[in-house]
Amino acid sequence: SAMQIVLIGVPYRDGTLVILGADTFTEKVAGFASGMKHKIGRKVAGELMVGMLEDVRAHAMEATPSP
């Protein structure tokens, strides 16, 4: 099983343009109830990505000088 996430932040106007690419793979989700397993896996992966993006935003806000 594997998960690969690529996150790029590019300065854009007065903020940052965030580009996210994600891919997951497993050979263990097949057969009985595979649809349910895929749905649960997508939810877990989505929650992980949201957490990572929130961390990136928090660090970016700390690094941004006040006007």
Side-chain angles (χ1 to χ4, degrees):
S1 298
M3 179 186 298
Q4 180 180 27
I5 298 174
V6 177
L7 182 66
I8 300 169
V10 180
Y12 181 74
R13 296 187 182 173
D14 292 333
T16 304
L17 174 65
V18 177
I19 302 165
L20 172 71
D23 193 18
T24 59
F25 172 79
T26 183
E27 64 230 11
K28 296 179 182 179
V29 182
F32 180 73
S34 66
M36 180 181 65
K37 293 174 189 175
H38 281 278
K39 185 175 182 178
I40 292 168
R42 283 190 293 272
K43 184 176 189 308
V44 170
E47 290 171 354
L48 286 171
M49 285 188 275
V50 167
M52 286 185 226
L53 289 169
E54 288 174 346
D55 289 345
V56 168
R57 181 184 352 195
H59 288 294
M61 296 302 289
E62 290 172 2
T64 304
S66 299

